[in-house]
Amino acid sequence: MGQAATIKDVAQRAGCGVATVSRVLNGTGPASTKMREKVLAAVKELDFYFSEVGRSLQSSTTRTIGCVVPSIENPVYADAVQGAQEVCLEAGYQMLLICTNYNAEMETHAIRTLIAKQVDGIILTVGDVQNSEGFEMIRARKLPHSLLYNTAPEGQTSWAVDDHAAAVKVADVFFANNHKHTGFFGLDFLSSDRARQRFEGFAEGCAHHKMTPPALLEVDDDGDDLTLQLDAFLKRHPNITGLFASNDYRALAAIRSARQLSIDVPGDLSIIGFDGIKVGQMIDPTLATIATSPRTLGAGASQTILSMINGSTPPILPHKEQTFSFRAGGSLMPLAAESKDDGKVTAFPSSTTKPTRLL
Amino acid sequence: MGQAATIKDVAQRAGCGVATVSRVLNGTGPASTKMREKVLAAVKELDFYFSEVGRSLQSSTTRTIGCVVPSIENPVYADAVQGAQEVCLEAGYQMLLICTNYNAEMETHAIRTLIAKQVDGIILTVGDVQNSEGFEMIRARKLPHSLLYNTAPEGQTSWAVDDHAAAVKVADVFFANNHKHTGFFGLDFLSSDRARQRFEGFAEGCAHHKMTPPALLEVDDDGDDLTLQLDAFLKRHPNITGLFASNDYRALAAIRSARQLSIDVPGDLSIIGFDGIKVGQMIDPTLATIATSPRTLGAGASQTILSMINGSTPPILPHKEQTFSFRAGGSLMPLAAESKDDGKVTAFPSSTTKPTRLL
DNA sequence: CCTCCTAATGGAAACGTTTCCACCTATATC
DNA sequence: GATATAGGTGGAAACGTTTCCATTAGGAGG
């Protein structure tokens, strides 16, 4: 049982030509009952499977799609990848996964590799779409592709959360709850256009409501010294009452650090996260956040690619405002109104903003 | 720019035979400086890449390894996959990922697919090793493989946490903290040999310390009615003071439900989880748990496979006790000793049980 | 000038499929 | 009984590589 059996072995054993075997097994073209049986028997005996490699060479199609994401340790991408993978599998495609660790060089290398592997399409999240060598290569080759979590340049299809609009929404929420002085807590600003857009949207939203521009707390590490940095930050900006974290993990870390500093969340400081990861609702206080649906985005990206491949009609992209929804939580508390006093500020029940359907 | 350039196109453009192109580009065999330059120029002009498909057919090797896990929505598997993927990439291999959603049929189908795709090796987590059609197929074909998170049958290599020993350890810890009446909180017992082993180990450990056998709280869903079930469970077993959850998510869910029932954790009920996910340390109280290192396991599995493929020496499997370590946390509180009163029961600083090195 | 050796090169087979085309054999039709 | 027709069938080319082998050219040594 050294090497796997090939179609030739089957043909020999069944006493026919390879063409007949192919026809029988693929159900293409005619075959007598006798031959069919003999072939099937030979297949059984030899435990034969078609080699996809040979097939791919002949059909110049690999039934494989590539997926490039920063890291699946981040549950947002993990969920998206899983969603994408399921759709692929359903359609008989397999997924080649490469994680780039938020590294631009890796991105390029990954995409190069996938092109060499002749994948039929690529789903990708890059650090900066406007400036991505790999993405350019894909476009130049006209390879079916869909961006994931990157807002697309003109004419490109992309399955992404509208970070900008979502961040504006966060500003709206802070405003509606009478928070006037806020901060934005991010990490690694330059390498991700997403973080940038979240900050910009937030700043814009604050400006629109004539709130003070958000103070920026930028750290290089989520680790323990965050507590010190947060402390210094809050001392520098003593009137901050609301903090927008660039993702839920960061929000959780902020809550932990606040606790260590004996700062009450949400009593002294309200916190809003981004992503809507599962654990956000399991902790106390529950995390107010921008809820997104990574699975849906991933699945959508797959469907887009599959439709590009087989020429069917592509799925409709969700409206930008449908890619996220604000989810209330215990980490956000309304502040007593200073001057004006409308009823808005009291409670923020989760039923008010029910999750938007994505598809 | 219809089809991608092939080696023939390059040869034609460079005015030489395909063999020369191959030699130049692969650095195998001699070539004159003149030819080398011409070939390189042609490659640049045509933007040529080797087709891995053609290569695979010729070399009967795909430089691809398959990975089959239940779900990467579970961060334990996500981390393991990522670790495995990194090692593969480093070695110039790519990873084909299939998630089976804890479904035995999917497992078989996934493995069949990977075999047809001619992967050079497979990393896999199955529901039940003793009874896995897919795993049998792999063994029959003598395909390089490594189990991940499944304890291996005789002679098989496997990168897994020793669930049984870890569960015994949990019993030890409960005992050392004077908890005599405990429960085990699991889900979907039958489909996973891992959950089973955790329960058995725990029961065994309890028996060894002459504690009451653990009561079993089995639910079919992590959702909201967990609270009701937990309530009923604790009413049925009023003297339970310690609960061992089959994984950290479950532990978190239990804490949340306890809070809803006004049961103080750890004052009224101590909880220990399993896995050591990141958020366990970000919440309050921090989660006492069995800490594992999924990344390391995944990376190890990859290394094992790579060594099988190229015949180098395989990495040493960690000792069973090195695959996990108990991590203390605020969700576990020592109980006042009833009869005997040794000093053991007071605090349980995390430094006492320092994480074991895995590699 | 002839021979020998080495370096450079190209042709062709092989890898495992699919598919086109040609062939053969019955059976039906005249 | 000859001819058309259809259903079965096998041979061979093609897909893009690598590599063995044969060939050529060119220089060194006699």
Side-chain angles (χ1 to χ4, degrees), chain B residues 193-220:
Chain B
D193 51 9
R194 303 180 281 296
R196 220 157 46 226
Q197 285 178 338
R198 288 177 196 173
F199 177 67
E200 285 169 11
F202 187 53
E204 213 175 291
C206 289
H208 174 256
H209 291 297
K210 312 230 188 307
M211 298 153 63
T212 32
L216 182 57
L217 168 58
E218 195 175 4
V219 300
D220 7 274

Side-chain angles (χ1 to χ4, degrees), chain A residues 311-323:
Chain A
S312 61
T313 76
I316 345 104
L317 290 165
H319 257 77
K320 298 209 138 201
E321 293 74 26
Q322 293 177 322
T323 57

Side-chain angles (χ1 to χ4, degrees), chain A residues 212-223:
Chain A
T212 33
L216 181 57
L217 169 58
E218 195 176 5
V219 301
D220 7 274
D221 182 48
D222 262 346

Side-chain angles (χ1 to χ4, degrees), chain B residues 230-308:
Chain B
L230 180 65
D231 191 32
F233 176 76
L234 291 177
K235 291 227 169 79
R236 235 179 305 137
H237 307 280
N239 45 6
I240 279 184
T241 59
L243 188 65
F244 175 30
S246 69
N247 73 34
D248 281 352
Y249 267 120
R250 222 95 68 210
L252 257 34
I255 292 177
R256 181 191 51 181
S257 285
R259 185 173 300 122
Q260 289 173 2
L261 298 168
S262 301
I263 297 168
D264 183 46
V265 175
D268 302 326
L269 182 67
S270 283
I271 293 183
I272 297 181
F274 202 112
D275 285 343
I277 63 177
K278 208 169 147 193
V279 289
Q281 296 177 273
M282 305 185 95
I283 59 165
D284 183 51
T286 59
L287 185 61
T289 190
I290 293 291
T292 66
S293 178
R295 263 192 105 78
T296 316
L297 296 180
S302 275
Q303 279 162 357
T304 298
I305 290 193
L306 291 174
S307 71
M308 283 170 157

Side-chain angles (χ1 to χ4, degrees), chain B residues 120-237:
Chain B
D120 295 337
I122 297 187
I123 294 174
L124 74 164
T125 303
V126 296
D128 189 345
V129 198
Q130 307 291 344
N131 194 2
S132 164
E133 195 178 334
F135 186 55
E136 258 339 293
M137 291 172 50
I138 294 175
R139 293 186 59 180
R141 284 194 163 59
K142 301 205 198 311
L143 198 60
H145 63 277
S146 171
L147 288 166
L148 181 66
Y149 279 99
N150 287 116
T151 30
E154 25 58 64
Q156 298 289 309
T157 74
S158 134
W159 290 79
V161 173
D162 187 341
D163 294 295
H164 192 276
V168 170
K169 175 74 181 174
V170 172
D172 292 348
V173 168
F174 272 135
F175 178 75
N177 284 270
N178 279 324
H179 292 270
K180 299 288 162 55
H181 305 283
T182 61
F184 179 89
F185 167 29
L187 167 145
D188 207 7
F189 232 164
L190 295 160
S191 79
S192 161
D193 51 9
R194 303 180 281 296
R196 220 157 46 226
Q197 285 178 338
R198 288 177 196 173
F199 177 67
E200 285 169 11
F202 187 53
E204 213 175 291
C206 289
H208 174 256
H209 291 297
K210 312 230 188 307
M211 298 153 63
T212 32
L216 182 57
L217 168 58
E218 195 175 4
V219 300
D220 7 274
D221 181 47
D222 262 347
D224 283 334
D225 49 24
L226 166 60
T227 306
L228 278 74
Q229 302 202 36
L230 180 65
D231 191 32
F233 176 76
L234 291 177
K235 291 227 169 79
R236 235 179 305 137
H237 307 280

